[in-house]
Amino acid sequence: MDANPSTGGPQAARPTVTELRLAAFRAHRQASYRLGPLTLFAGASGSGKSSVLQAYEALTRLGAGEELAAAFPDPAGCVPEGAGADPQGRRGFRLGCTVEGPAGTVRLDLAVQAEPELRVVGERLTGDGRTLLSTALRDPGRTAVQAAWHTAGSAGVTRAPLPDDRLGTALLPLRVAGSTQGQLHVIAAAEQVVLALRSAFACDPQPHRMRRPVAPGAGRLRRGCDNLAEVLHRTRSECAKRHARLAAAARAGCVGEVVDLVVEELADGTVQALLGRGRGRTATPVGRLGEGELRYLGLALVLLTGPGVLAMDQVAEVPPAYQSLTVLADGFDRCLDVAQRRELVALAAEMCARGHIRLVGTLADATSARGIGGVTVVDLGP
């Protein structure tokens, strides 16, 4: 079990994203959102709920070293409608986050040009009131930004070009020598941000794909939860306590009596999941369940597992005890009835309170989250 933060154990050393900032990004002109262990964004369609999670996920992809084009497949669509271009015909947006961890409070701010071509035009990493990294696009004709990072040696700042299609912070640990205290500080801050961003799992259960039997494999749950049966087979054999907790969640969120979640192998070698009904009754294949029941089961499985079970990019060089998992769940209440919503939010609050995970999600209706301890609801309004 993870140590309590107040004791200074591993959980206290886990880098976590505690704030997200968006400027000129979709529906958000200038916004800053504090993120607790369980933060749910609510509001009407078009209020910007999904945009918050899209921004967060884009930062996670950049933190993993991916190119801008992978993080922003539709860059022009990220710029607010009606936003004008500057005299050079450029339009763009800004994203940022704050990460708390062993290196203290570290801020990352990124300016992205979406048009006429996608590129980084500026980046700033700050900590302890000091600018640790700054980049700027000095020559639009070059595919590079001019970077300067804190050194605190004989030369206070080191300057070098960095690619204009990647996050400079993610590249710093490979570029900074670490031969001075200043350089070590820069590396620690950059690694803290990268670790926090990479320790995220975006999920969106797809009921139409979850109904099909699947081939046995590594047992790592994919984003769409389409390999639910494969993962249940693994959890049932490897962690009886966790599997029992999942079965209890199924009893609370599925129609009819549920005594267990079981997996059977079919003649073609694939496996399918079933709800054990008990009392001599025939088990129900999950393929027969409604969309709400399937999304509920998928999200409950995500909440009750961890990085070793989820198909996510783990940071192998950092012990799991020092990594925090943040689940990104757009449409957390999609297709669910009132009882399922309430049960799922309560389960999320329980897991987040244990330090098992953190969760950032969106709700169409915040009513189900009201009054549940540990839940932060951000109402974006109409």
Side-chain angles (χ1 to χ4, degrees), residues 209-264:
R209 298 178 62 187
M210 296 169 65
R211 300 181 189 283
R212 310 167 188 162
V214 295
R220 300 191 70 192
L221 188 65
R222 295 191 284 263
R223 177 181 184 135
C225 299
D226 50 286
N227 61 333
L228 176 78
E230 174 196 352
V231 178
L232 286 177
H233 180 70
R234 176 182 174 183
T235 61
R236 183 179 178 86
S237 61
E238 292 184 2
C239 186
K241 183 177 180 180
R242 183 175 295 170
H243 187 84
R245 185 67 182 85
L246 182 62
R251 280 194 290 276
C254 296
V255 175
E257 181 185 26
V258 178
V259 297
D260 198 4
L261 282 169
V262 297
V263 178
E264 70 172 357

Side-chain angles (χ1 to χ4, degrees), residues 15-16 98-107 126-128 185 188-189 192:
T16 54
T98 299
V99 178
E100 308 280 352
T105 301
V106 182
R107 289 171 56 98
T126 58
D128 293 333
H185 186 196
Q192 175 169 296

Side-chain angles (χ1 to χ4, degrees), residues 93-147:
F93 52 87
R94 297 188 302 276
L95 300 178
C97 64
T98 299
V99 178
E100 308 280 352
T105 301
V106 182
R107 289 171 56 98
L108 169 68
D109 292 286
L110 181 70
V112 177
Q113 175 186 291
E115 296 176 333
E117 56 185 338
L118 181 63
R119 63 198 314 181
V120 172
V121 294
E123 179 179 348
R124 186 176 297 271
L125 184 72
T126 58
D128 293 333
R130 183 189 299 275
T131 298
L132 305 176
L133 167 72
S134 64
T135 74
L137 182 64
R138 303 295 186 193
D139 181 358
R142 299 183 60 194
T143 58
V145 292
Q146 184 62 37

